[in-house]
């Protein structure tokens, strides 16, 4: 006898908004399964507003209301019984972030929680990440978003250090990350990994997922520093239009994927990691599991 629950998670990021609908399969004597039923991605780049102007534009507020109304109707069709919507860096920094939250709750019927970088990292850690962590190894988990990058160091299967930096793909696209930020990240990474003999990276985010998919590798296999660097050089050699026409990248992925690769490469260099694993996990997956296990 099995019992199936339907949960949904809405991730309002700096580069795009996503809604994940998940089937949670419970069966006595077996581990609970979390199976993706639907994933919808909407390319509303809130970070372009928040990081350059300081507030979300009226146009994008209207687009958000439409998207959230569509999400609510889709959840109704899927018969979702529980959901949570979380907003990250762009909404955190927008001067009218709380006002936008109120508008969306009033007009679309969805309440949004604006979360900080530490909570974002903790929610992602609630995913199947533990399946990839071997207690005898040390891992640096790197989640690159549009507005910020979350770093978490795992040793002995537990988080021993975590920090969020205002260095993300949309910020880099707009030349809003200076050398001081890069130096702070380098110093922090080198300091936290110093006691450990070797470190392996775990990457999270739409851009590293795309780079991994392009490799054609099996999910459990890592990418080498050499491969990520060669892909970075290759992507950099193409124009924005070529990345769309020749590689089939979405327009809102084609202009930021290089910046994401640069962050991962630097994290590998500064931590001494030779490989990066790319499990299919993200904030949406974490929200569903955190809801199910009562952590949020």
């Amino acid at each position: 006898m099995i019992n199936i629950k339907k949960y949904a998670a809405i991730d309002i990021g700096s580069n795009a908004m996503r809604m994940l609908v998940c089937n949670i399969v419970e069966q006595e004597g077996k581990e609970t399964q979390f199976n993706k039923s639907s994933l919808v991605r909407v390319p509303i780049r809130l970070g372009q507003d928040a990081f350059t102007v300081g507030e979300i534009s009226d146009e994008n507020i209207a687009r958000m209301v439409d998207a959230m109304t569509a999400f609510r109707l889709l959840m109704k069709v899927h018969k979702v019984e529980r959901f949570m919507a979380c907003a990250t860096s762009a909404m955190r920094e927008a001067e009218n972030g709380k006002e936008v939250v109120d508008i969306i709750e009033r007009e679309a019927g969805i309440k949004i929680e604006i979360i900080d970088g530490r909570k974002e990292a903790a929610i992602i850690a609630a995913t199947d990440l533990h399946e990839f962590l071997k207690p005898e190894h040390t891992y640096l988990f790197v989640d690159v978003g549009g507005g910020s990058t979350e770093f978490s160091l795992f040793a002995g299967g537990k988080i021993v250090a975590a920090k969020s930096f205002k260095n993300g793909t949309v910020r880099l696209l707009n030349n809003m990350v200076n050398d001081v930020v890069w130096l702070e990240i380098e110093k922090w990474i080198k300091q936290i990994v110093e006691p450990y003999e070797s470190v392996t990276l775990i990457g999270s985010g739409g851009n590293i997922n795309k780079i991994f998919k392009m490799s054609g590798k099996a999910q459990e296999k890592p990418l080498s520093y050499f491969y990520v660097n060669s892909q970075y050089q290759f992507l950099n050699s193409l124009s924005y239009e070529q990345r769309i026409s020749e590689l089939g990248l979405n327009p809102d992925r084609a202009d930021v994927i290089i910046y994401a690769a640069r962050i991962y490469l630097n994290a590998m260099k500064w931590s001494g990691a030779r490989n990066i694993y790319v499990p299919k996990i993200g904030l949406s997956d974490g929200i569903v599991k955190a809801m199910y296990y009562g952590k949020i």
Side-chain angles (χ1 to χ4, degrees):
M1 184 69 181
I2 65 171
N3 180 44
I4 301 175
K5 296 180 177 180
K6 280 214 171 186
Y7 281 16
I10 298 172
D11 167 14
I12 303 162
S14 302
N15 196 47
M17 293 168 54
R18 302 167 189 80
M19 183 184 73
L20 169 70
V21 177
C22 192
N23 291 325
I24 302 173
V25 183
E26 299 172 324
Q27 190 170 5
E28 193 173 341
K30 291 189 177 181
E31 189 174 343
T32 301
Q33 293 179 40
F34 296 84
N35 302 324
K36 181 176 77 174
S37 175
S38 175
L39 179 63
V40 181
R41 181 179 184 275
V42 184
I44 302 176
R45 186 168 281 175
L46 300 178
Q48 192 67 37
D49 289 342
F51 307 143
T52 61
V53 184
E55 62 178 28
I56 308 300
S57 66
D58 290 342
E59 179 190 352
N60 275 340
I61 291 173
R63 292 176 74 200
M64 285 182 74
V65 169
D66 287 344
M68 298 300 263
T69 301
F71 287 170
R72 178 172 54 78
L73 291 171
L74 281 170
M75 287 192 288
K76 183 179 178 182
V77 172
H78 279 283
K79 295 185 177 180
V80 167
E81 56 193 89
R82 191 178 173 198
F83 75 91
M84 184 173 184
C86 292
T88 56
S89 188
M91 289 283 280
R92 277 200 299 267
E93 294 187 34
E95 290 178 13
N96 61 343
K98 290 183 179 178
E99 180 187 334
V100 174
V101 167
D102 291 340
I103 291 170
I104 289 172
E105 185 171 9
R106 184 174 66 250
E107 297 190 20
I110 290 180
K111 185 177 181 180
I112 298 170
E113 181 181 341
I114 299 176
I115 59 174
D116 60 25
R118 186 172 289 274
K119 185 167 184 178
E120 185 178 349
I123 290 174
I124 293 169
T127 63
D128 288 334
L129 192 55
H130 64 276
E131 293 181 8
F132 300 90
L133 302 178
K134 295 178 181 178
E136 66 273 18
H137 293 169
T138 304
Y139 302 89
L140 180 61
F141 180 78
V142 184
D143 179 49
V144 176
S148 64
T149 297
E150 300 359 289
F151 295 92
S152 304
L153 186 73
F154 289 83
K158 296 179 180 179
I159 294 180
V160 295
K163 194 159 185 178
S164 176
F165 290 90
K166 288 183 178 181
N167 187 353
T169 58
V170 178
R171 285 190 205 274
L172 288 166
L173 179 66
N174 288 281
N175 296 310
M176 298 184 70
V177 181
N178 59 36
D179 291 343
V180 173
V181 177
W182 285 108
L183 287 169
E184 286 175 353
I185 297 172
E186 179 181 2
K187 182 181 177 181
W188 185 81
I189 289 176
K190 287 181 175 178
Q191 185 177 344
I192 62 162
V193 303
E194 199 272 332
Y196 304 97
E197 193 171 323
S198 64
V199 174
T200 298
L201 238 70
I202 297 178
S204 172
N207 290 296
I208 193 66
N209 286 339
K210 191 66 180 179
I211 291 170
F212 185 85
K213 189 175 181 181
M214 288 163 65
S215 76
K217 284 202 169 191
Q219 196 65 50
E220 69 277 5
K221 299 293 184 181
L223 300 178
S224 67
Y225 177 89
F226 176 79
Y227 176 82
V228 178
N229 188 47
S230 65
Q231 281 298 97
Y232 171 71
Q233 300 297 337
F234 169 63
L235 289 165
N236 217 11
S237 71
L238 300 176
S239 68
Y240 169 69
E241 289 78 12
Q242 285 175 316
R243 288 178 220 133
I244 296 171
S245 63
E246 296 179 19
L247 301 182
L249 296 183
N250 289 331
D252 68 312
R253 176 81 65 215
D255 58 353
V256 294
I257 193 167
I258 294 172
Y259 299 109
R262 183 182 169 196
I263 295 174
Y264 291 111
L265 280 170
N266 277 325
M268 293 180 82
K269 182 169 69 175
W270 296 331
S271 65
R274 296 179 180 179
N275 295 302
I276 177 170
Y277 286 87
V278 189
K280 281 191 173 181
I281 55 175
L283 184 61
S284 299
D285 306 89
I287 292 170
V288 169
K289 292 186 178 171
M291 280 193 295
Y292 180 76
Y293 290 115
K295 294 184 179 179
I296 54 174

